[in-house]
Structure formats: structure tokens, C-alpha cells
Amino acid sequence: MNSKRYVVGLGEALWDVLPEGKKLGGAPANFAYHAGQFLGSDNTLAISALGKDELADETIEALKEHDLNYLMPRVPYPTGTVQVTLTGDGIPAYDIKENVAWDNIPYTAEVAEVAKNCRAVCFGSLAQRNVTSWATIRQFLDATPEDCVKIFDINLRQQFYTRNVIEESLKRCNILKINDEELVIINRMYGYEGLDMRGTCEKMLADYKLKMLVLTCGTNGSYVFAPGLTSFQETPKVKVADTVGAGDSFTGSFCAAILNGKPMEEAHRIAVEVSAFVCTQNGAMPTLTPELLAKVK
């Protein structure tokens, strides 16, 4: 593995149980899948853990079907599932099962080897709800090279986060991705009530010495803040099938564009287009069109 530098999605691997059936999901796997569509599947990797059950076997089959490389040791816990219900607008609500395989990701020699040769990694707060995976994610981030792009896609879900997890993650990332609802929570948690949305973003950018901060605001557009630079993109109006995985496709395509040398504003525009397309498809891992894929080359 050390002859290659990987783009890694690190954290939960699970099945989204949707009204029309179950689909492979989990933000890190979604991220790796979409980054891989642009960068080549050989260069991307999803790291998590699976149970010793039939659902784990199905997971491996689904990963192979999506041409997604994986490093997912088997552990004595059930493979993760999330019950997803959709509102009339296609907005998902999640019931995330606890004490599952991805709560117990081991820091193996193979995982450590990938960390040493990591070009970019995306991680969130959800997979840090349990001490085992929390420790593995911190070890992984601390072992990455100096030039590694480390994206903290905060993903605040239910009650599965603490200020300590968020703080330690902010210290270890160089790009933060957050949505407007999560920004309100962070604003209160950190006592930033006197600041508006932009002020909070600019303070976090400075306080944590971030290279970029991505703020998504649903139908109200999205922003990317960097020191001395701001990009805004309106959200395209599309017929929404569901929004599951749309944010992960944004992050994966944005990361791929940045790694391929695209300017921040262009990477932002591509990410918005990809995310809008994914909203028109069912599930988190649709195949992107050749027109979209060509934009990152």
C-alpha cells in the first residue's frame, strides 16, 4: 500500500434502510465512492468495520458492485443499520442503531500504513461516539503526512456528539464542512451568539487555522470561506428524489477538484452541480454523468 497515496473516507459503514429498501450508505463510504468517480477507484478507500454476519457479506458485495476499495476488519458486533424515513420534500430523518461494528473500528497495522500514505481523508463526529473508533480516528489523523487534506464533515446526528469530540476534530482538520443548522448548534456551544453566520465562520477559520470552511444552507445556497476569500453558489432547482448522500457527494467532488488543482471557486461550483444531480437520484451512490466527471479533469 505504501507505493500509493489514498483518498480515504474514515468512519461509519452502514445500510440506510429506506422506504423502497436498503442501500449501502454511511458518509465516509459515500465520500470515498464519489471522490473515486473523479480520481479513480484505485486511489480511494473506505475504512470502517463490519460485523461477522450476513449483512457484512452483503456490504462487501455492494462495495464490490460500486467498485469501492475498502479496509473493514470484521469485529464481534452487528453491521450497522440506519432506519431512514423521508418527509414529503424528500428530507431524511435517521434512527441510528448503537453499539454496532463501526463503533469499534480497530487501529490495525494496515490502517496505520494507509494513514502514513494518506493524500486526503474525510471524517465526521458520528463515528467518534464510541471510544474505540474515536481513538482509531485520532490515531489515523495524527499519523497522516503534513500535506494531507483533512476534511472534518461534522455531521451532527441526534445526540451523538460532544464538545470534546468537536474540539479535538477541529484541531486536527484543515477543512471544515458544516451546514446552517449545525452552525447554530456550534454558535451556542462556543458562545458565539453575538456573531452572525459569516462572523462565526470567519472566527472558526481563524481560531483553528483552517484552509477552508464549507457552509451549506440547503435551498439557500452554499459558501466556501478561506482567508481573504469567499465563494457563494446558489442551490440549483431540481426535482428531488431524495437528499440521502447529497452532502457526501458535495464533499467528495469538492475534495477531488481541489486535489486536481482546481481553484476554490471552481471546485465549489462543481460540488454544487454534483450534489444537485445526486438529489435527483435515489440513494447515496448513483453513477455520475460523463459531463459531470469531465469537469474535474
Side-chain angles (χ1 to χ4, degrees):
M1 284 187 177
N2 59 8
S3 62
K4 183 177 291 190
R5 295 199 64 189
Y6 282 98
V7 175
V8 174
L10 173 61
E12 63 272 19
L14 47 83
W15 287 86
D16 291 316
V17 183
L18 296 150
E20 69 271 16
K22 68 180 188 295
K23 293 182 183 291
L24 183 65
N30 294 340
F31 164 85
Y33 171 74
H34 285 291
Q37 290 197 80
F38 290 101
L39 300 172
S41 59
D42 287 347
N43 302 309
T44 51
L45 186 67
I47 297 179
S48 188
L50 298 173
K52 299 177 179 180
D53 50 24
E54 288 185 13
L55 199 54
D57 297 333
E58 289 186 49
T59 304
I60 290 170
E61 285 304 310
L63 291 167
K64 289 177 179 176
E65 284 175 18
H66 286 92
D67 199 21
L68 180 53
N69 288 318
Y70 61 92
L71 185 50
M72 300 186 184
R74 298 287 190 104
V75 294
Y77 298 88
T79 299
T81 56
V82 176
Q83 195 72 39
V84 184
T85 54
L86 302 175
T87 68
D89 297 326
I91 307 299
Y94 305 94
D95 177 19
I96 305 168
K97 304 306 179 187
E98 296 187 62
N99 202 29
V100 291
W102 59 261
D103 284 317
N104 297 277
I105 305 169
Y107 193 67
T108 63
E110 280 186 293
V111 171
E113 187 66 23
V114 172
K116 287 193 301 182
N117 297 282
C118 187
R119 188 180 180 203
V121 56
C122 183
F123 67 103
S125 62
L126 180 57
Q128 299 183 70
R129 67 181 181 176
N130 178 283
V131 65
T132 303
S133 291
W134 171 76
T136 292
I137 290 170
R138 286 181 66 173
Q139 282 180 275
F140 187 98
L141 294 170
D142 290 347
T144 56
E146 189 70 29
D147 65 346
C148 182
V149 175
K150 291 175 279 193
I151 304 170
F152 180 33
D153 189 355
I154 194 166
N155 268 340
L156 302 181
R157 297 281 189 247
Q158 296 173 208
Q159 75 282 11
F160 300 129
Y161 58 88
T162 65
R163 175 160 178 165
N164 180 56
V165 162
I166 292 168
E167 181 72 15
E168 292 299 320
S169 298
L170 287 169
K171 289 176 181 177
R172 286 170 167 80
C173 75
N174 43 41
I175 298 177
L176 170 65
K177 179 169 176 280
I178 190 168
N179 67 33
D180 50 353
E181 294 178 357
E182 293 164 339
L183 193 71
V184 171
I185 295 169
I186 294 299
N187 201 293
R188 292 176 185 151
M189 185 181 286
Y190 280 81
Y192 295 159
E193 282 92 341
L195 297 175
D196 62 9
M197 182 184 72
R198 177 183 289 269
T200 299
C201 290
E202 289 178 346
K203 180 166 179 56
M204 295 181 75
L205 193 71
D207 286 356
Y208 293 98
K209 298 179 175 59
L210 302 174
K211 293 179 180 176
M212 285 177 262
L213 187 154
V214 180
L215 173 66
T216 59
C217 303
T219 57
N220 295 317
S222 57
Y223 299 81
V224 183
F225 299 95
L229 191 63
T230 301
S231 172
F232 172 76
Q233 288 286 323
E234 292 185 357
T235 300
K237 290 180 172 62
V238 296
K239 185 177 180 181
V240 174
D242 69 57
T243 62
V244 179
D248 304 323
S249 72
F250 182 114
T251 314
S253 52
F254 183 80
C255 178
I258 292 293
L259 291 176
N260 271 9
K262 301 295 184 186
M264 184 183 88
E265 298 95 327
E266 188 177 348
H268 184 194
R269 185 165 57 250
I270 291 166
V272 168
E273 291 183 34
V274 169
S275 180
F277 171 78
V278 171
C279 285
T280 69
Q281 308 296 302
N282 286 314
M285 295 186 182
T287 301
L288 299 180
T289 65
E291 291 78 15
L292 285 172
L293 296 174
K295 292 177 183 290
V296 168
K297 291 179 179 175

